[in-house]
Amino acid sequence: MRNKGLIIALTVIVTALCAYFLFFTYVSRGVQGKAVAYATRNGKLNETARQHYLDSVWRAPVFGPFTYREVRQSELGLGLDLKGGMHVTLEVSPVEIVRAMSGNSKDAAFNKSLEQAQETQKTNSGTSFTALFAQAYQQNAAGKPLATIFANTTNKSRNIDINSSNEKVIGAIDKEVEEAIDRSFNILRTRVDKFGVNQPTIQRVKGTGRLQIELPGVDNPDRVRKLLQGQAKLEFWEVWNQNEVGPYLVQLDTQLSAKQAAKAGPAAAASDTVAVNLAAAGDSTSLAAQLAKKTKGGKTAADSAATSAKGGVLAKLFTMPGRLGVNLRDTSAMNTILRSPEAKATLPPTLALLWNLKPTTIDKQEYLELIPVRKTRDGVPPLGGEVVSDARSDIGQNGQPEVLMSMTPAGARKWQKMTAANIGKQVAMVLDDYVCSAPVVQSEISGGGTSITGSFALEDTQDLANQLKAGKLPAPTRIVEEAVVGPSLGKEAISQGLYSSLAGLVIIMIFMALYYGRAGLVADVALLFNMFLILGVLAQFGTALTLPGIAGLILVIGMSVDANVLIFERVREELSHGMSLPDAINKGYSRAFSAIFDSNVTTMLIAVILGFFGTGPVQSFAVTLGIGVLTSFLAAVFVSRIIIEWLIKGNDNHPMTFSTSVSRNLFKNLNFDIVGMRKKAYAFSAFFIIFGFGLMAYQGGPNLGVDFKGGRAYVVDFNKTMVASSVADRLRPVFQGAGLEVKQYGAPDRLRITTGYLAEDESSAADEKVAAALNQGLQQYSADAPDIKSTSKVGATIADDIKRTSVLSLGLTLLGIFVYVLFRFEKWQYSMAAVVALFHDALLVIAAFPIARLFGLNYEMDQIFVAAVLTVIGFSMNDTVVIYDRIREYLRENPKLTFAQVVNPALNSTFSRTMITFTTVFLVVLVLYIFGGETLRSFSFAMIIGVIFGTYSSLFIATPIILDTYGKKEERERLAAGEDVTGLPGDAPKLSTANV
């Protein structure tokens, strides 16, 4: 093997990296175990105490120099479907932005165009809202320019005047919408931190105005919905001087310490007295040192602290040098204190201690500052965010980044008054109760134009400009997709995924050992190594493992042995021709490489398309599948060869075996006339597809899931077995005749209730109305203890997007395969036959679903179903490529032969590999179907059907189509040229022309 040293070195490096990152998972689990032990008293877990423990070590080193926060970022996490929590997709509504930019115009054509654009986007989500609005306005306004609506004082800073073209106006609206999405992202990123959950994620969905948020372990979905959908609240407040705040904090410190000492007893009180005396003597981390400023009475805060016999609680928290602030790891403890009865009784109602939005790093420690904001008694700020007309990042005259803010005329007058009263003092700019900036006023500011300078990086000024603009225009968000998974369902999913993974792995390993002997054991080692690599790479990229990801992992288990099967079958062929073992191994690996490479490329193509166009669970499946393709190639092609070559070197007593008594004569000397049955296969496929689609039409159309048709779904547990049809009949009236489906979901006492009631209304009010209707209906079963375990929602707009991207994914996959096969095999007939066969496979899988409904198997077609169809295409293509590769090999080695002469020998010579790969993958997906749980039942059923028909099509559809479009033509041309095409040279299998 060439470059053996390089491959070994690469393998060692990758292995070390995977082990390193997986060790972070081990460390994280250890810390979480300690948190549980710390918070468990008398056999009961105190969740607050557990979270407090994790907060306390969040910034503390737990593995060498790595903090718990860094360890959590590098561990192999679990998705919501495995641990419970909430997934939300929000969409920034452009309608209100357009209205605000128009100055809330009452123009009839303008408002009619907005309504039409909203309606059109429900069925044409691929076009931006602004483009749809512009088209509708042109029709409704009879050529009237948009500038007549948008040339106002609000848009003066955007250089829009009465002469601006429609393109310029739409460009300005698009820019504002894009900025609104960025602002929403930043605001929501701050709000997400309020939920107190581990590893929350928020990301933008490329090419859309949507934001995806995942909150593992969240237990209050209603609070999440309200907080995420609320508009940004930007306020301007005056700030207390620190020496004014000091006496209140010292008084609070005294009360809290006295309370703590009373609980702990005399010994603790004495200890606290010593601590306070030391603090007064000059401890730089004490509260006294932090507040060492003269008060009105001539005393310092340090003097007051020293007179307190039992001070020190706040002293342990206020550790930010020179300012009121705490170490990031202590923010939870400080929040508890600020919410305490003592704080409410001691601190004046006009004093609000608000956190700064961004932490400050001092001596490699991160601190979060508390800003003492001076609130009014009625809670109304002197200025609100609506007065900000624009804010942007700029470079000042001194070359330093700054923020330029401008205000409306009314706001400018109030701002002038506010700044005049606070010269030399701070003014806090507060966004959602977080201080985004608290600059010192240098002079009275008139006209509203304000420059905010400081020790800013350019990124800081860009963030601050976005935050100041958050209150400038309304940009509300609405939930267009949602899923809530209860923790009990997550635990079930972990068990189901674990069992199915282990069962699939064990079955494959036993099969390989029984079929290939010692070589099969080497393949098993390579398979285990492959699983290790996949998990390690997932951990390196911070990818959470989900239930669809486990499905991808199980599928990789089945498909990863395919490369070893190809190699071992080649080695057995060479051994049967009398070649020595080392030469047979070299030739087997060499000859199998091209087929392995081609099949991996086609599967990777599918993984990339699924990852790019899919969302949520489909992306997780695609990531796992894509990583599995790469690691399988390394493990099966290179690692297994290194092991085999090492084992056969000087080992004559126990030679390497590639067969056993079970497999030695299996599939030997086959001579099936496979292509001779092609017309029967054509007829069968046509009948199956026509019957399936006809049945689908009779049943009222495909059984689409919520992903494709929109709506809401609920998983409900009862305390006894329920009859789904009976429950559906009793629930139907509360949903006012809207579409309703009730079916058992993995257990006889668990139902999945799906309704299209108010599917097109994506508002929170509609969510509450549907939930109320469901609860009203479930009251009829109050004696059966109905318990809603999970909920999911897909809006009509996003459902339309999913349908569009699913069709696009299928089309791009077939196109990509057509181009790749044409590049590799240089004849369009090969590409055409492959694409026809793959499209045939997809139609057969779809047709199988309505046929299955005749037998009581009622499965939905959802996003995971699309992933299954595309995976079936990849599986079928792998098999087809192997056959194509063998045909190409026969034609190269025997240039006088025609395609018709080699097609059956090629099919027969690869038949053993086809059946072995079919068996391994089929067994794996069967295990997934049995143990994988209801969530993946549709996926695994589609895979079972797809594996069967994918194998069938590679034998009876794909290659025979080439024979009918190219092979017969070639044969006629050679006969016309007087060539003999009836015999085969050498020891190749004999096949007469009449048989094909």
Side-chain angles (χ1 to χ4, degrees):
M1 182 172 64
R2 291 180 296 179
N3 302 318
K4 185 175 181 179
L6 177 63
I7 292 170
I8 292 175
L10 178 64
T11 303
V12 170
I13 293 172
V14 172
T15 303
L17 286 173
C18 289
Y20 175 73
F21 280 97
L22 284 176
F23 191 72
F24 279 106
T25 304
Y26 171 78
V27 173
S28 177
R29 297 292 186 270
V31 174
Q32 293 173 46
K34 291 178 181 178
V36 171
Y38 168 82
T40 301
R41 296 290 184 271
N42 299 322
K44 293 184 178 180
L45 175 65
N46 186 322
E47 184 60 33
T48 302
R50 187 189 72 86
Q51 189 62 49
H52 176 72
Y53 180 92
L54 295 176
D55 288 341
S56 68
V57 299
W58 187 245
R59 303 278 174 173
V62 294
F63 173 45
F66 296 101
T67 64
Y68 180 55
R69 177 193 182 191
E70 293 167 332
V71 167
R72 286 303 300 265
Q73 290 174 342
S74 301
E75 73 166 334
L76 179 63
L78 298 178
L80 299 186
D81 50 3
L82 294 179
K83 67 190 299 186
M86 189 172 185
H87 165 92
V88 176
T89 300
L90 294 132
E91 187 171 66
V92 178
S93 175
V95 179
E96 285 77 8
I97 296 175
V98 176
R99 286 190 190 279
M101 289 183 68
S102 73
N104 290 314
S105 173
K106 304 300 182 183
D107 184 86
F110 168 78
N111 286 285
K112 183 179 180 181
S113 301
L114 282 179
E115 293 175 4
Q116 287 182 353
Q118 285 180 279
E119 287 300 317
T120 306
Q121 196 173 42
K122 291 178 181 179
T123 56
N124 186 16
S125 56
T127 305
S128 70
F129 175 83
T130 51
L132 295 174
F133 162 72
Q135 293 170 9
Y137 184 79
Q138 288 301 307
Q139 295 172 1
N140 296 323
K144 184 180 176 182
L146 284 167
T148 58
I149 302 292
F150 291 94
N152 52 42
T153 55
T154 302
N155 299 317
K156 190 175 181 180
S157 61
R158 300 183 183 91
N159 297 320
I160 295 178
D161 55 36
I162 196 64
N163 297 316
S164 297
S165 65
N166 286 351
E167 289 74 16
K168 183 175 182 180
V169 173
I170 292 299
I173 297 174
D174 281 334
K175 183 179 179 183
E176 187 59 45
V177 171
E178 185 65 24
E179 289 178 352
I181 297 169
D182 287 337
R183 290 196 298 273
S184 297
F185 179 84
N186 292 326
I187 293 164
L188 292 174
R189 185 170 55 186
T190 303
R191 292 179 180 178
V192 161
D193 292 336
K194 293 184 178 182
F195 294 116
V197 298
N198 290 325
Q199 288 185 306
T201 60
I202 175 171
Q203 60 182 351
R204 281 196 61 175
V205 181
K206 293 180 180 179
T208 70
R210 297 191 184 120
L211 306 170
Q212 283 186 345
I213 299 172
E214 288 195 352
L215 301 169
V218 72
D219 57 0
N220 193 339
D222 289 335
R223 175 172 172 256
V224 172
R225 296 184 190 105
K226 290 177 182 177
L227 197 55
L228 292 182
Q229 293 185 111
Q231 288 185 224
K233 183 179 67 174
L234 179 66
E235 301 169 333
F236 294 81
W237 294 98
E238 295 180 352
V239 177
W240 289 66
N241 288 329
Q242 193 160 299
N243 62 338
E244 296 176 310
V245 180
Y248 296 111
L249 294 178
V250 171
Q251 185 181 351
L252 175 61
D253 187 46
T254 302
Q255 292 185 19
L256 292 171
S257 299
K259 180 180 179 182
Q260 184 184 68
K263 287 183 177 180
S271 174
D272 284 338
T273 303
V274 174
V276 171
N277 289 334
L278 290 173
D283 179 5
S284 62
T285 63
S286 69
L287 174 65
Q290 295 296 325
L291 305 178
K293 292 189 176 182
K294 293 288 182 181
T295 62
K296 291 182 179 179
K299 293 184 178 181
T300 65
D303 296 329
S304 299
T307 60
S308 172
K310 300 177 180 65
V313 173
L314 289 180
K316 297 172 184 176
L317 295 175
F318 277 123
T319 55
M320 186 176 184
R323 280 175 279 176
L324 288 177
V326 305
N327 196 295
L328 266 179
R329 66 173 178 265
D330 295 324
T331 53
S332 177
M334 180 58 76
N335 282 332
T336 301
I337 289 175
L338 295 178
R339 289 192 296 264
S340 68
E342 290 79 8
K344 292 178 181 178
T346 305
L347 303 180
T350 55
L351 171 61
L353 291 167
L354 301 182
W355 293 109
N356 207 331
L357 190 60
K358 288 188 176 182
T360 302
T361 303
I362 302 174
D363 295 331
K364 298 182 180 180
Q365 290 286 319
E366 286 190 298
Y367 299 89
L368 203 58
E369 186 177 2
L370 277 167
I371 308 296
V373 169
R374 189 185 299 276
K375 290 289 187 89
T376 56
R377 292 192 177 275
D378 59 5
V380 178
L383 278 177
E386 72 279 356
V387 304
V388 179
S389 61
D390 195 18
R392 57 188 173 86
S393 173
D394 201 359
I395 303 297
Q397 295 179 352
N398 59 358
Q400 295 299 313
E402 64 178 5
V403 175
L404 298 180
M405 178 179 66
S406 56
M407 293 185 172
T408 62
R413 289 191 293 273
K414 293 180 180 180
W415 183 237
Q416 182 176 358
K417 183 178 178 181
M418 187 176 183
T419 53
N422 288 276
I423 296 175
K425 300 177 182 178
Q426 289 178 285
V427 173
M429 301 170 182
V430 181
L431 180 65
D432 283 345
D433 294 328
Y434 281 84
V435 179
C436 50
S437 184
V440 176
V441 178
Q442 301 296 326
S443 61
E444 179 183 332
I445 301 172
S446 60
T450 307
S451 171
I452 306 173
T453 58
S455 301
F456 290 134
L458 183 59
E459 182 182 348
D460 296 329
T461 58
Q462 291 170 343
D463 288 344
L464 179 55
N466 273 333
Q467 290 151 8
L468 292 174
K469 291 173 71 175
K472 177 174 64 74
L473 286 176
T477 57
R478 57 193 175 99
I479 295 176
V480 294
E481 184 184 22
E482 174 191 302
V484 180
V485 181
S488 60
L489 286 184
K491 290 179 181 178
E492 285 185 27
I494 292 175
S495 299
Q496 291 165 347
L498 181 64
Y499 289 149
S500 53
S501 298
L502 291 177
L505 186 64
V506 169
I507 289 172
I508 294 298
M509 293 178 67
I510 292 173
F511 178 87
M512 292 297 287
L514 289 176
Y515 199 91
Y516 290 109
R518 290 190 178 91
L521 294 175
V522 173
D524 290 343
V525 172
L527 181 59
L528 291 174
F529 180 66
N530 186 25
M531 295 299 102
F532 168 76
L533 290 182
I534 293 174
L535 295 177
V537 174
L538 286 173
Q540 287 183 55
F541 287 100
T543 305
L545 188 62
T546 65
L547 203 55
I550 290 179
L553 190 66
I554 295 171
L555 188 62
V556 168
I557 292 174
M559 298 180 71
S560 63
V561 300
D562 182 49
N564 281 126
V565 169
L566 276 168
I567 294 165
F568 294 167
E569 289 299 307
R570 279 290 194 173
V571 172
R572 287 173 56 168
E573 284 182 31
E574 304 305 332
L575 289 173
S576 67
H577 293 158
M579 191 173 288
S580 66
L581 181 61
D583 291 340
I585 291 172
N586 286 331
K587 197 163 186 179
Y589 274 91
S590 176
R591 288 200 159 191
F593 184 86
S594 62
I596 295 171
F597 180 81
D598 287 334
S599 61
N600 275 267
V601 169
T602 52
T603 306
M604 179 58 75
L605 176 66
I606 291 170
V608 170
I609 290 173
L610 278 175
F612 188 81
F613 290 103
T615 59
V618 174
Q619 279 187 330
S620 175
F621 173 81
V623 169
T624 307
L625 182 62
I627 292 172
V629 169
L630 297 175
T631 56
S632 297
F633 193 77
L634 174 65
V637 176
F638 297 111
V639 173
S640 67
R641 183 170 185 177
I642 290 171
I643 296 173
I644 287 176
E645 289 183 349
W646 175 71
L647 288 174
I648 66 172
K649 189 176 182 179
N651 191 356
D652 297 328
N653 295 327
H654 302 284
M656 179 62 58
T657 59
F658 287 86
S659 60
T660 63
S661 57
V662 175
S663 62
R664 189 164 293 117
N665 296 313
L666 202 61
F667 303 119
K668 209 167 187 180
N669 300 320
L670 295 178
N671 191 20
F672 294 140
D673 184 10
I674 296 175
V675 294
M677 294 183 284
R678 67 189 184 282
K679 292 183 180 179
K680 293 180 181 178
Y682 296 164
F684 168 76
S685 295
F687 171 77
F688 192 94
I689 293 170
I690 293 171
F691 177 72
F693 277 82
L695 192 60
M696 185 188 299
Y698 175 76
Q699 293 169 348
N703 185 21
L704 298 178
V706 175
D707 292 348
F708 286 141
K709 64 184 180 184
R712 295 165 178 86
Y714 307 85
V715 175
V716 185
D717 275 2
F718 297 84
N719 61 8
K720 69 174 187 179
T721 298
M722 304 299 292
V723 180
S725 58
S726 174
V727 174
D729 290 339
R730 300 182 71 176
L731 288 181
R732 194 165 280 112
V734 301
F735 293 122
Q736 301 179 13
L740 176 67
E741 181 182 60
V742 180
K743 64 179 183 179
Q744 287 189 340
Y745 195 72
D749 59 350
R750 175 174 293 164
L751 298 179
R752 188 170 192 259
I753 302 169
T754 305
T755 177
Y757 180 48
L758 300 180
E760 294 187 356
D761 190 345
E762 298 165 351
S763 66
S764 296
D767 295 340
E768 294 171 2
K769 190 173 181 179
V770 176
L774 175 64
N775 287 320
Q776 178 187 341
L778 290 177
Q779 284 178 1
Q780 303 172 73
Y781 297 95
S782 56
D784 304 320
D787 182 17
I788 299 176
K789 291 294 185 180
S790 74
T791 68
S792 61
K793 161 192 165 183
V794 178
T797 303
I798 203 166
D800 181 62
D801 277 357
I802 293 172
K803 284 187 285 189
R804 179 175 54 84
T805 56
S806 297
V807 173
L808 184 61
S809 298
L810 179 60
L812 286 176
T813 299
L814 295 177
L815 177 62
I817 288 175
F818 182 91
V819 172
Y820 183 76
V821 173
L822 180 62
F823 169 75
R824 289 291 288 166
F825 295 94
E826 301 175 350
K827 287 183 175 62
W828 67 266
Q829 290 90 346
Y830 282 73
S831 296
M832 182 272 297
V835 169
V836 169
L838 298 179
F839 188 61
H840 152 276
D841 296 342
L843 293 178
L844 283 174
V845 173
I846 295 171
F849 272 62
I851 294 174
R853 292 173 72 177
L854 292 176
F855 302 94
L857 302 176
N858 193 7
Y859 301 123
E860 293 181 348
M861 298 180 185
D862 51 16
Q863 287 190 82
I864 301 297
F865 167 79
V866 175
V869 170
L870 292 179
T871 307
V872 165
I873 287 176
F875 169 80
S876 180
M877 191 64 226
N878 288 355
D879 205 4
T880 303
V881 163
V882 171
I883 296 169
Y884 282 7
D885 188 74
R886 185 60 64 94
I887 292 172
R888 178 174 57 185
E889 179 185 322
Y890 278 0
L891 291 174
R892 284 178 178 174
E893 294 179 352
N894 304 279
K896 293 184 178 181
L897 296 182
T898 65
F899 181 92
Q901 290 172 303
V902 302
V903 59
N904 254 341
L907 289 168
N908 279 282
S909 64
T910 58
F911 190 80
S912 59
R913 175 264 164 198
T914 298
M915 296 312 299
I916 294 168
T917 300
F918 162 77
T919 302
T920 55
V921 177
F922 179 81
L923 288 174
V924 169
V925 294
L926 183 62
V927 168
L928 185 63
Y929 181 79
I930 296 171
F931 298 108
E934 194 64 34
T935 304
L936 294 175
R937 199 79 73 192
S938 171
F939 171 88
S940 50
F941 176 75
M943 283 299 304
I944 288 174
I945 299 300
V947 168
I948 294 172
F949 283 124
T951 304
Y952 153 81
S953 72
S954 63
L955 292 170
F956 296 100
I957 304 295
T959 311
I961 287 177
I962 304 177
L963 176 65
D964 289 330
T965 57
Y966 168 75
K968 288 297 187 69
K969 178 183 176 183
E970 179 195 40
E971 188 176 15
R972 287 193 298 269
E973 290 174 350
R974 290 203 177 188
L975 284 171
E979 296 183 26
D980 180 14
V981 295
T982 59
L984 297 178
D987 61 353
K990 300 295 187 293
L991 182 67
S992 66
T993 305
N995 287 336
V996 300

